[in-house]
Amino acid sequence: MNSKQLLQIADTYGAPVYVYDAGKITSQYKRLTSAFQSVPRVKLNYAAKALSNLAILRLMNSLGSGLDTVSIQEVQLGLLAGFRPEDIIYTPNGVSLEEIEEAASLGVQINIDNLSILEQFGSKHPDIPVCIRINPHVMAGGNTKISVGHIDSKFGISIHQTPHLLRIVELTKMKINGIHMHTGSDILDIEVFLYASEILFDTALHFKDLEFLDFGSGFKVPYKKNDIQTNVEELGEKLGGRFNDFCKEYGRSLTLAFEPGKFLVSEAGFFLARVNVVKQTTSTVFAGIDSGFNHLIRPMFYGANHEIVNLTNPEGKERYYSVVGYICETDTFGSNRRISEITEGDILCFRNAGAYCYTMASNYNSRYRPAEVLWMDGKAHLIRQRETFEDLVRGQVDVSALFERSKATTK
Ligand SMILES: *Cc1c(COP(=O)(O)O)cnc(C)c1O
């Protein structure tokens, strides 16, 4: 998408607004699937929590993607968007047995990540096949050396508990049809990732009825020019080859699954916001925008670096700015950024705004969540309206009568 198209969208739909480029999502999807073309059966399950607008889910479905969900509500959204239950995997953490049973009753693939629920679910429903999420305790160390860690992680069944895991499966006679890992860390060092994969393969050999191995996600995308990113082509070549060898050893052709969120949607997203005020202090020039961490929390929450571009004045002289929001708390999008000279009223564009941006937005400070627009086939399509005052009060129960009475009695 170019600046002119983005500015036109801000003009038509107002700002702040999120814009998603369907073409970029499509090309990322194709890039990842073609990187693994040596594997006969590959399945991408898009991680819905990255960006869960129904239009985005429908786009993923049309590309042939499955869906990775972490809550029963995401399962319901997926079904509403047209996914077949068998194309949805449900990978919750810390949810109740009842919610897992509800998901199972909808026919989606269950993925269980703790022994307590596994034993209870297996005892009650030995015929429903279950995938197991393991914790391989592998993470990339400081100098990209392999280090064993994440011992405190709340995710997954520790590989050190494999004997207990096998006991539960044997006693309940439940069916295990998949093994899953998602370390959550960025796959920068492919060797580290391949090392973790070996642990997954070792675990898989304990189970006879597997249909798939799920390697989770963690693909790193560039946030600025020359930024490090996962070399998915190299990963495809190395892991793909190793996976095919494993299937021979296992004696059956399995499906290789991934659950990319950020990789598919991050770079496709643009967040557009108008500058309300340029404020010079003794130390800084602030550009205060008509938004805040209520709309884009990643800079404050993770220290994420979203590139910021002045769409209105792209050719201006570059100057240093701290870009801040209107929330009555420290609310910084970026400090000491070189941005083309900003005038009040200009539209700033935040890049990499597809993943974990709108889905983490809130109504803090009683502000409206922004609109969302999908750019597809050269046209803009509104896919979510900006909120209104009705949205802020919807669900609140009017108890004003209580206070009328208490006023009367205090008189
Ligand atoms: C969040 C999540 C993903 C997606 O991670 P990305 O870094 O966005 O690709 C995949 N699998 C599970 C289980 C997750 O919780």
Side-chain angles (χ1 to χ4, degrees):
M1 293 198 69
N2 63 39
S3 304
K4 217 177 121 214
Q5 293 160 342
L6 290 169
L7 278 172
Q8 182 62 51
I9 287 170
D11 207 46
T12 309
Y13 300 98
V17 59
Y18 276 100
V19 184
Y20 312 117
D21 179 357
K24 180 67 183 174
I25 293 173
T26 305
S27 65
Q28 287 293 95
Y29 184 87
K30 291 191 171 148
R31 185 180 161 204
L32 195 50
T33 43
S34 58
F36 284 89
Q37 63 193 7
S38 71
V39 178
R41 291 198 292 170
V42 177
K43 183 85 199 246
L44 300 189
N45 296 313
Y46 166 61
K49 74 180 189 292
L51 179 59
S52 54
N53 188 296
L54 287 169
I56 301 296
L57 302 186
R58 286 187 198 281
L59 170 62
M60 295 296 178
N61 189 23
S62 77
L63 292 173
S65 179
L67 198 67
D68 175 61
T69 58
V70 294
S71 68
I72 191 73
Q73 290 79 9
E74 282 188 353
V75 171
Q76 289 163 334
L77 283 175
L79 293 172
L80 189 58
F83 285 93
R84 299 178 308 169
E86 56 268 39
D87 288 330
I88 299 179
I89 180 164
Y90 171 63
T91 305
N93 171 263
V95 310
S96 66
L97 177 64
E98 289 72 26
E99 185 173 314
I100 293 177
E101 288 177 316
E102 192 184 341
S105 75
L106 294 172
V108 309
Q109 172 70 48
I110 303 298
N111 190 358
I112 294 182
D113 93 327
N114 68 85
L115 292 179
S116 171
I117 297 280
L118 187 74
E119 184 178 328
Q120 295 175 67
F121 189 89
S123 304
K124 282 175 82 176
H125 314 283
D127 295 330
I128 299 180
V130 164
C131 173
I132 290 170
R133 177 175 187 171
I134 63 160
N135 181 346
H137 297 303
V138 172
M139 62 180 186
N143 321 333
T144 68
K145 290 233 170 60
I146 292 167
S147 68
V148 177
H150 278 320
I151 212 84
D152 286 337
S153 167
K154 68 167 187 161
F155 298 102
I157 297 169
S158 167
I159 44 156
H160 304 302
Q161 291 176 306
T162 304
H164 190 181
L165 165 63
L166 294 175
R167 180 184 299 260
I168 289 169
V169 172
E170 194 187 319
L171 293 177
T172 59
K173 301 195 165 51
M174 64 191 302
K175 286 189 190 61
I176 304 301
N177 66 344
I179 308 287
H180 167 276
M181 70 171 186
H182 170 67
T183 60
S185 44
D186 293 330
I187 307 175
L188 285 179
D189 191 322
I190 286 175
E191 298 306 320
V192 177
F193 190 80
L194 292 174
Y195 178 86
S197 304
E198 290 305 322
I199 296 171
L200 194 105
F201 291 136
D202 285 348
T203 307
L205 288 174
H206 292 291
F207 301 91
K208 299 284 155 276
D209 304 314
L210 296 181
E211 292 158 16
F212 64 94
L213 297 182
D214 189 330
F215 294 83
S217 185
F219 300 98
K220 174 119 177 66
V221 297
Y223 270 66
K224 44 185 190 283
K225 275 196 197 79
N226 305 320
D227 215 356
I228 30 176
Q229 57 171 305
T230 306
N231 185 336
V232 297
E233 287 72 23
E234 186 190 345
L235 182 70
E237 214 177 295
K238 292 189 170 162
L239 180 61
R242 178 67 187 96
F243 182 84
N244 288 336
D245 289 345
F246 173 80
C247 288
K248 277 189 209 120
E249 187 186 343
Y250 188 75
R252 181 145 30 105
S253 165
L254 301 177
T255 297
L256 185 160
F258 279 113
E259 307 158 347
K262 196 182 266 189
F263 183 84
L264 295 180
V265 297
S266 174
E267 294 165 279
F270 304 86
F271 180 55
L272 311 181
R274 194 176 297 280
V275 176
N276 281 338
V277 60
V278 176
K279 176 173 180 174
Q280 175 112 41
T281 69
T282 47
S283 63
T284 309
V285 183
F286 288 104
I289 63 170
D290 194 26
S291 178
F293 70 64
N294 53 322
H295 295 157
L296 201 176
I297 202 172
R298 300 186 75 258
M300 291 304 296
F301 199 33
Y302 303 117
N305 188 303
H306 289 261
E307 196 183 323
I308 306 170
V309 185
N310 184 353
L311 293 183
T312 310
N313 183 25
E315 304 299 331
K317 196 167 146 198
E318 287 198 339
R319 301 190 53 191
Y320 283 107
Y321 293 96
S322 285
V323 178
V324 294
Y326 54 26
I327 292 293
C328 293
E329 280 189 55
T330 305
D331 183 14
T332 308
F333 290 101
S335 299
N336 306 322
R337 295 296 187 86
R338 274 185 79 73
I339 301 172
S340 180
E341 184 153 19
I342 297 175
T343 308
E344 290 171 1
D346 285 357
I347 296 284
L348 301 188
C349 173
F350 296 74
R351 306 198 60 130
N352 287 79
Y356 308 106
C357 292
Y358 189 92
T359 47
M360 287 183 137
S362 75
N363 290 122
Y364 189 46
N365 279 204
S366 298
R367 295 286 183 179
Y368 306 144
R369 272 177 284 221
E372 292 180 290
V373 169
L374 181 67
W375 178 259
M376 197 163 131
D377 303 328
K379 275 203 217 83
H381 306 269
L382 184 66
I383 57 173
R384 191 193 302 262
Q385 292 174 346
R386 184 181 315 288
E387 287 182 329
T388 63
F389 193 73
E390 279 69 54
D391 294 308
L392 290 186
V393 292
R394 183 160 30 95
Q396 297 201 42
V397 177
D398 183 357
V399 290
S400 52
L402 281 176
F403 303 101
E404 293 305 321
R405 249 181 281 133
S406 67
K407 238 192 239 166
T409 49
T410 47
K411 246 183 218 159

